[in-house]
Amino acid sequence: MTLSNASAMNVATVLTKALPYIQKFTNKTIVIKYGGNAMVDDDLKTSFARDVVLMKLVGMNPVVVHGGGPQIGDLLKRLGKESEFFQGMRVTDKETMNVVEMVLGGLVNKEIVSLINHQGGKAIGLTGKDGDMIRARQLTFTRDNPEMTAPEIIDIGHVGRVESIDKSVIDHLLHGDFIPVIAPIGVDADGCSYNINADLVAGKVAQVLDAEKLILLTNTPGLLNKAGDLLTGLTAQEVDDLIADGTIHGGMLPKIQCALDAVQSGVNSAHIIDGRVQHAVLLETFTDEGVGTWIHRRPAS
């Protein structure tokens, strides 16, 4: 099919506008947390895979960390096991942990690898157990109980937090021109597996890799102010102020905190973007406008 002059000029304009960003991010690592609608809608899955492959082809080093909570819940339901949550975390007994490993490390991880490879990339799937990459420790909670002299310790099972990340496996894959796809499962010194929040793993991976960007895909436009307007171009101090005045609250708080921790630990910028938009990752990486909230270390010049 032959393009009209107007269409051809539009394509040329888009490509030339992307050029400065390609030059800026060549050889830079970009960690992407993949989840939400982008993982379940077929068109969005394809656009995400194509975005990641294109990033690699123009010289960037994308690293994908994925979630899979809805898929875990679906399989548990089919097995006749109800999902239980505490403060947003899935209560994970040994049987549930087996399902988590099956879904995250198997079904979901391999589907993402296949999607990327089908678009011409070279993806390799991992969990944090591979190469002892993600060392974890059990995450516990405490709750005040007036009937007890000390706070009650709440044990929600095989739910973990990141203790350390050995980046050598990821570095080896990146140097071999592969795209790592990481399932957020960690392991402790005794070999016990833990389910870890994918946002937290993505943030920690971005930190240890000295990533240029951390991109978190969500099912919202980004961070909104109290009037419902999208906020972007925020410094770490401005984010702290928004937390203090209650603008950032509820389910957005841990995601923002993850982005803030990454930026304060050396990642140049963090982006919370709308994964319901096709090619959201490319739009955030290759345009001035983006499709979400941008948090950065330095005030914009």
Side-chain angles (χ1 to χ4, degrees):
M1 182 178 66
T2 303
L3 291 176
S4 68
N5 288 340
S7 296
M9 185 59 68
N10 185 55
V11 171
T13 300
V14 169
L15 292 173
T16 54
K17 284 186 175 180
L19 180 59
Y21 297 97
I22 294 172
Q23 293 170 323
K24 180 179 180 180
F25 299 131
T26 295
N27 296 322
K28 300 294 178 66
T29 298
I30 298 177
V31 177
I32 308 161
K33 187 271 178 161
Y34 178 49
N37 278 26
M39 286 186 70
V40 296
D41 179 278
D42 287 339
D43 290 338
L44 292 175
K45 288 194 290 188
T46 299
S47 76
F48 172 79
R50 298 188 74 175
D51 289 359
V52 171
V53 171
L54 179 58
M55 292 169 74
K56 189 69 175 178
L57 288 175
V58 298
M60 302 177 192
N61 291 318
V63 176
V64 178
V65 178
H66 65 83
Q71 293 90 333
I72 293 168
D74 288 344
L75 182 53
L76 286 171
K77 187 175 182 179
R78 292 203 301 270
L79 294 173
K81 191 174 181 64
E82 290 296 320
S83 295
E84 181 183 351
F85 293 88
F86 179 82
Q87 294 189 13
M89 300 287 186
R90 186 184 301 277
V91 177
T92 308
D93 58 17
K94 186 175 180 179
E95 182 182 28
T96 300
M97 189 64 221
N98 289 337
V99 172
V100 168
E101 292 204 65
M102 183 189 308
V103 173
L104 293 185
L107 298 173
V108 174
N109 188 270
K110 300 316 172 191
E111 181 188 22
I112 298 167
V113 167
S114 180
L115 284 166
I116 293 172
N117 290 346
H118 184 67
Q119 295 301 324
K122 295 197 301 181
I124 296 288
L126 304 163
T127 77
K129 297 174 73 172
D130 292 309
D132 209 19
M133 181 172 59
I134 301 177
R135 274 298 178 98
R137 180 178 295 177
Q138 186 181 29
L139 181 64
T140 58
F141 297 86
T142 59
R143 178 169 57 193
D144 290 331
N145 188 332
E147 298 178 358
M148 302 176 66
T149 57
E152 178 185 6
I153 297 176
I154 308 298
D155 183 351
I156 59 172
H158 293 256
V159 176
R161 61 182 179 85
V162 176
E163 191 170 56
S164 65
I165 294 180
D166 182 348
K167 67 174 186 171
S168 59
V169 174
I170 305 172
D171 281 340
H172 183 73
L173 292 174
L174 293 177
H175 292 151
D177 208 29
F178 292 99
I179 300 170
V181 178
I182 303 169
I185 297 168
V187 63
D188 68 13
D190 297 322
C192 184
S193 299
Y194 291 95
N195 182 19
I196 309 174
N197 178 276
D199 290 333
L200 298 180
V201 171
K204 294 295 184 183
V205 168
Q207 291 173 39
V208 300
L209 293 178
D210 295 321
E212 175 71 18
K213 286 177 178 284
L214 168 66
I215 298 177
L216 305 174
L217 273 72
T218 70
N219 285 341
T220 66
L223 176 60
L224 307 178
N225 64 17
K226 292 179 180 178
D229 301 317
L230 180 67
L231 297 174
T232 192
L234 302 172
T235 64
Q237 182 58 56
E238 288 170 332
V239 173
D240 279 334
D241 293 342
L242 290 167
I243 293 173
D245 73 13
T247 299
I248 302 174
H249 63 280
M252 182 58 74
L253 186 57
K255 199 172 291 289
I256 287 287
Q257 191 63 60
C258 168
L260 184 61
D261 289 346
V263 168
Q264 291 176 330
S265 298
V267 177
N268 196 44
S269 63
H271 307 256
I272 297 174
I273 69 173
D274 194 342
R276 300 169 301 179
V277 176
Q278 283 206 20
H279 300 295
V281 174
L282 287 189
L283 290 170
E284 189 60 53
T285 306
F286 292 150
T287 69
D288 289 332
E289 297 81 8
V291 287
T293 296
W294 166 45
I295 301 168
H296 55 96
R297 281 188 286 165
R298 302 176 298 276
S301 58

